[in-house]
Amino acid sequence: MSVALGLKSKPVTTEPANDDSDISALINRLTAEVNQIAVDKTKSIQQITNQMKMLALNALIESSRAGAQGAGFAVVAQEVRGVGQQVETIARELETQLTKRTGDLVASIERMSQRSRGERMMDLSLNAIELIDRNLYERTCDVRWWATDSAVVDCAASPAPAAVSHATQRLGVILGAYTVYLDLWLCDLDGNVIANGRADRFRVVGQNVAHTKWFREAKTLRSGDDYVAGDVENQPLLGNAQVATYCASVRVGGEAHGAPIGVLAIHFDWEPQARAIVQGVRVGDSDKARVLLVDSHFRVIAASDGQGILSERVSLSLNGERSGFYHDRTGAMVAFHATPGYETYRGLGWYGVIVCGA
């Protein structure tokens, strides 16, 4: 049985990535066309009124030449001139008002579009971190289950060569079925690795891991129902691979409240699994998006572009919120969502983050 990332998790689904931007672009284009038509028509009205005023001026000149006989015509010419000026004023006011209203409409549509885009990115950030949470919940179940395996319990209780050989074989069988792990280590209470599942590949038996944070925490677990979930790190004993380590205590008789006799550590093969998550988020090409998972210290632990993993820290402006979106100083949109956890896995304070280019 191969446990691939996401098989038991809710898939990332969303509307086509360019729907919102297409609708916004269409409305902006139509609004711009309406605005241009209004401007063109008011200019045509202004041209006509200019012609009317010119005709009225010529009529006044001719009426003055005609003397008393042209006096009546002069009155008509003045009225035509006044009407032309009124029409010109109305046309200018119409152009000003239409330009302002269409400008306000375009700005409102842009704000709505940005909000819609931000909310969509925030939802996608949640989907990404949820997929990780659900998957890592399964890892916490695995380690607690395997810590009760009779071969593991017997070896921890008495690490004689035969028991070590049996435990090694059993751990190897588990690794053959669960391909998302790099290795499984059985440690004694002093932190010495006494058996591992891939002894032919990783020669870790005899190494001491008592200095590691995950081992120190695992030694203090109160029962077999508890577990340790470690942050992502490079593990030197596994070829410096990126791993997320999960631990449970091995107890006498495999009983949850038996006395502790060892620690089982399982090393989740983080990089390919996390890459599948962040690269699977359905953002559009026009979004110019970088999808990230960051830990509680805002350290990048997965990136859709493969850059900065375990070395880059992002600056998130949370403002006390667990989710949201904003524009940073460069104009880029940043959407984020905190881990919600899943079942008994509370999460480690990680965030799903999407950064869209300006």
Side-chain angles (χ1 to χ4, degrees):
M1 177 177 63
S2 174
V3 181
L5 187 64
L7 285 180
K8 297 182 181 179
S9 302
K10 181 174 69 175
V12 177
T13 57
T14 183
E15 295 179 359
N18 59 352
D19 276 4
D20 291 339
S21 59
D22 286 349
I23 293 172
S24 175
L26 175 61
I27 295 175
N28 278 330
R29 180 172 60 80
L30 292 176
T31 303
E33 289 177 1
V34 169
N35 186 65
Q36 189 59 49
I37 290 171
V39 170
D40 291 344
K41 294 304 181 183
T42 53
K43 285 183 178 179
S44 296
I45 294 172
Q46 289 173 352
Q47 289 176 353
I48 292 171
T49 55
N50 286 336
Q51 291 175 350
M52 290 176 61
K53 289 190 290 183
M54 184 61 68
L55 289 173
L57 178 62
N58 289 334
L60 286 172
I61 294 173
E62 293 300 324
S63 66
S64 65
R65 289 177 179 175
Q69 295 179 351
F73 189 65
V75 172
V76 175
Q78 286 284 11
E79 289 296 323
V80 170
R81 186 177 185 181
V83 170
Q85 289 175 337
Q86 290 178 8
V87 172
E88 182 181 26
T89 299
I90 293 172
R92 286 177 177 171
E93 290 176 351
L94 177 62
E95 180 181 7
T96 299
Q97 291 179 10
L98 281 175
T99 301
K100 181 180 184 303
R101 294 295 174 85
T102 53
D104 291 344
L105 179 59
V106 169
S108 177
I109 291 169
E110 178 63 21
R111 288 193 298 270
M112 291 172 60
S113 176
Q114 288 296 316
R115 181 170 185 81
S116 176
R117 184 189 187 203
E119 290 176 347
R120 182 170 66 86
M121 292 302 166
M122 187 174 65
D123 287 343
L124 289 175
S125 298
L126 171 60
N127 283 346
I129 198 67
E130 273 190 324
L131 283 173
I132 285 294
D133 281 350
R134 289 175 181 230
N135 191 274
L136 298 185
Y137 162 72
E138 294 172 5
R139 311 290 69 85
T140 69
C141 295
D142 289 345
V143 71
R144 287 177 286 177
W145 171 28
W146 297 335
T148 66
D149 188 279
S150 60
V152 171
V153 173
D154 292 345
C155 183
S158 179
V164 170
S165 178
H166 186 205
T168 299
Q169 181 184 22
R170 175 60 183 154
L171 294 176
V173 169
I174 293 172
L175 284 172
Y178 290 78
T179 58
V180 296
Y181 295 105
L182 274 179
D183 205 3
L184 313 179
W185 297 352
L186 175 59
C187 309
D188 64 21
L189 292 179
D190 293 322
N192 299 307
V193 180
I194 57 178
N196 71 308
R198 290 200 170 109
D200 57 335
R201 181 177 172 187
F202 303 114
R203 300 185 181 278
V204 297
V205 171
Q207 296 288 338
N208 186 278
V209 295
H211 63 283
T212 62
K213 183 173 181 288
W214 49 262
F215 181 83
R216 294 197 305 269
E217 292 179 354
K219 280 191 65 175
T220 66
L221 292 174
R222 292 178 294 180
S223 77
D225 295 327
D226 300 319
Y227 62 87
V228 169
D231 274 319
V232 180
E233 63 179 0
N234 292 115
Q235 175 49 254
L237 297 178
L238 296 174
N240 219 35
Q242 297 170 17
V243 297
T245 300
Y246 292 79
C247 303
S249 54
V250 181
R251 295 176 177 263
V252 171
E255 297 293 333
H257 297 286
I261 54 177
V263 168
L264 180 65
I266 65 175
H267 301 289
F268 182 61
D269 191 6
W270 172 260
E271 193 276 331
Q273 319 304 328
R275 183 179 68 244
I277 289 291
V278 294
Q279 291 186 349
V281 174
R282 295 174 59 186
V283 293
D285 292 339
S286 61
D287 290 315
K288 301 177 183 177
R290 186 185 186 210
V291 183
L292 307 171
L293 296 176
V294 302
D295 64 16
S296 59
H297 303 292
F298 303 150
R299 181 185 59 154
V300 174
I301 54 177
S304 57
D305 60 1
Q307 302 299 309
I309 301 174
L310 302 187
S311 61
E312 178 186 353
R313 294 184 187 274
V314 298
S315 177
L316 283 183
S317 297
L318 303 179
N319 293 322
E321 301 293 333
R322 291 182 55 80
S323 63
F325 62 90
Y326 61 91
H327 287 85
D328 66 15
R329 288 177 296 179
T330 69
M333 175 181 285
V334 181
F336 63 90
H337 205 295
T339 170
Y342 185 73
E343 298 287 348
T344 58
Y345 178 68
R346 298 179 298 276
L348 299 175
W350 295 357
Y351 289 83
V353 178
I354 299 179
V355 181
C356 298

